[in-house]
């Protein structure tokens, strides 16, 4: 498939999206927001470390790749974890962080980026979360297989710590699953759940994406030309959750406030979407979200580019 940006633009406009004429609506982030983002990115990174998704209830979250020091010093513990769940290989954990006063649901990424870029079919499934809502089938199935036990554990934990916030995080495939988990949990009573989605692919049709956008408390990050958030393509009927926090600094660089732009709209060509078609050459951009997010990835996971 060799779609060009002008074609994608006309697809977006044909579908009725306003394409921003300028970057007037972009804003930079504040210093305290940046430190929040770096903190939650470490929770997404922690889901790649095997000891956290096959750990014992009550054990401390740790990252052998040394990419979650803030989580380690918050003294967060595992409440529940899951891995190798059916063919979707959904893995992750629910953690209790008494320092931050939060219950965290974190999903690991693992899917092969190579396969994604060559995969032309992203089938969808209708959801009853809103009128005309469709989600990508594989991402939804990944949440569905763990939804009951995870929801029960979250309810039980929040009933013991009613003033704690619920935060759902993930990177890559994990961010896709986190996005659908967050919107589902919000619709089941956890209305203020926050979402931190790093390098998420598109998961929703316009109706579902707008529904999630309207729920609020969404922090969706992209980095330069990362190919993964460009998938599935707009022409396949998928769009993003707004806003986009677009990180413009290069790989391996410390991110500062002026390196993150906040862009609105389910389709916005001022950010990652406007940097060209998904290319394997850009895959290194996928690994760096404030830090080497998948630093703990275990050998054998089919992720390596
Ligand atoms: C998950 O499956 C992989 C591949 O089959 C295996 O290497 C790994 O040990 C399994 N992990 C757990 C926690 O069972
Ligand atoms: C969790 O609690 C919500 C209400 O806060 C409820 O709607 C939902 O059914 C509960 N889920 C489970 C699995 O108990
Ligand atoms: C970033 O760091 C990794 C690992 O140290 C290295 O392989 C890669 O070349 C670096 N990339 C850049 C752009 O410096």
């Amino acid at each position: 498939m060799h779609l060009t940006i002008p074609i994608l633009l006309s697809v977006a406009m044909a579908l009725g999206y306003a394409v921003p004429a300028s970057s007037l609506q972009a804003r930079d982030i504040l210093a305290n927001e940046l430190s929040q983002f770096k903190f939650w990115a470490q929770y997404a990174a922690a889901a790649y470390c095997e000891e956290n998704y096959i750990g014992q209830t009550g054990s401390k979250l740790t990252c052998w790749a040394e990419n979650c020091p803030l989580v380690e010093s918050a003294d967060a513990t595992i409440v529940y974890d899951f891995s190798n769940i059916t063919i979707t290989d959904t893995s992750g954990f629910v953690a209790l962080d008494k320092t931050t006063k939060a219950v965290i649901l974190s999903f690991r990424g693992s899917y092969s980026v190579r396969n994604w870029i060559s995969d032309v079919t992203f089938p969808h499934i209708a959801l009853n979360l809103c009128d005309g809502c469709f989600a990508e089938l594989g991402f939804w199935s990944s949440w569905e297989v763990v939804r009951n036990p995870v929801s029960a554990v979250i309810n039980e934990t929040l009933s013991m710590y009613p003033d704690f916030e619920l935060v759902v995080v993930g990177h890559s495939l994990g961010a896709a699953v986190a996005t659908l988990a967050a919107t589902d949990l919000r619709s089941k009573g956890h209305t203020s759940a926050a979402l931190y989605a790093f390098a998420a692919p598109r998961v929703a049709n316009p109706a579902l994406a707008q529904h999630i956008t309207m729920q609020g408390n969404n922090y969706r990050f992209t980095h330069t030309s990362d190919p993964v958030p460009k998938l599935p393509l707009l022409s396949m009927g998928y769009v993003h959750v707004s806003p986009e926090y677009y990180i413009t600094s290069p790989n391996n660089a410390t991110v500062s406030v002026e390196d993150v732009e906040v862009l609105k709209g389910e389709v916005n060509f001022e950010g990652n979407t406007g940097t060209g078609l998904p290319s394997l050459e850009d895959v290194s951009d996928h690994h760096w979200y404030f830090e080497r997010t998948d630093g703990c990835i275990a050998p054998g996971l089919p992720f390596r580019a």
Side-chain angles (χ1 to χ4, degrees):
M1 184 161 320
H2 294 285
L3 294 179
T4 61
I5 287 305
I7 290 174
L8 291 177
L9 249 168
S10 52
V11 166
M13 290 191 288
L15 289 171
Y17 296 107
V19 176
S22 72
S23 55
L24 272 181
Q25 62 180 202
R27 71 160 176 93
D28 289 339
I29 59 165
L30 308 170
N32 66 330
E33 290 181 294
L34 180 64
S35 45
Q36 290 288 310
F37 299 163
K38 290 182 175 177
F39 180 70
W40 296 115
Q42 294 194 9
Y43 265 104
Y48 279 102
C49 311
E50 196 180 35
E51 56 271 34
N52 299 330
Y53 60 82
I54 62 163
Q56 302 284 314
T57 297
S59 62
K60 218 169 111 59
L61 287 175
T62 55
C63 297
W64 62 260
E66 298 180 356
N67 57 353
C68 72
L70 298 171
V71 171
E72 288 171 346
S73 58
D75 227 5
T77 55
I78 298 168
V79 184
Y80 180 76
D81 57 36
F82 44 92
S83 62
N84 282 3
I85 311 278
T86 74
I87 51 163
T88 62
D89 192 24
T90 306
S91 301
F93 59 79
V94 176
L96 177 64
D97 179 338
K98 292 183 184 170
T99 309
T100 315
K101 294 193 162 206
V103 174
I104 301 94
L105 169 59
S106 181
F107 291 97
R108 189 194 75 192
S110 72
Y111 206 99
S112 162
V113 171
R114 236 175 234 288
N115 290 354
W116 270 5
I117 292 172
S118 55
D119 195 351
V120 286
T121 60
F122 288 90
H124 60 232
I125 179 175
L127 301 183
N128 61 7
L129 293 175
C130 57
D131 273 353
C133 278
F134 288 88
E136 202 282 332
L137 173 65
F139 305 146
W140 177 257
S141 307
S142 297
W143 164 235
E144 214 175 20
V145 292
V146 294
R147 172 164 63 167
N148 287 342
V150 164
S151 305
V153 164
I154 287 173
N155 282 7
E156 198 179 310
T157 312
L158 284 173
S159 72
M160 288 186 282
Y161 301 93
D163 58 329
F164 281 27
E165 63 172 326
L166 175 60
V167 183
V168 187
V169 306
H171 171 256
S172 192
L173 167 69
V177 184
T179 303
L180 294 173
T183 188
D184 194 29
L185 288 164
R186 287 167 181 165
S187 75
K188 306 248 169 7
H190 302 292
T191 49
S192 59
L195 168 69
Y196 291 84
F198 303 92
R202 299 187 178 101
V203 302
N205 74 333
L208 178 58
Q210 281 155 22
H211 174 76
I212 302 172
T213 298
M214 294 292 286
Q215 288 178 322
N217 229 352
N218 299 307
Y219 299 89
R220 183 180 64 79
F221 297 86
T222 64
H223 179 214
T224 52
S225 301
D226 182 350
V228 172
K230 300 175 183 182
L231 294 164
L233 299 173
L234 294 172
S235 55
M236 298 171 180
Y238 290 95
V239 297
H240 269 306
V241 169
S242 172
E244 171 182 4
Y245 289 78
Y246 179 47
I247 306 167
T248 57
S249 44
N251 297 329
N252 300 0
T254 301
V255 178
S256 45
V257 284
E258 60 272 18
D259 301 324
V260 185
E261 281 175 44
V262 190
L263 301 164
K264 289 196 174 151
E266 279 83 25
V267 178
N268 190 326
F269 286 88
E270 302 289 310
N272 169 269
T273 300
T275 60
L277 287 172
S279 165
L280 266 184
E281 281 166 30
D282 297 325
V283 85
S284 50
D285 300 353
H286 185 60
H287 305 295
W288 190 262
Y289 278 76
F290 302 102
E291 60 170 20
R292 176 78 191 201
T293 314
D294 56 351
C296 272
I297 199 155
L301 282 179
F303 190 80
R304 287 164 195 277

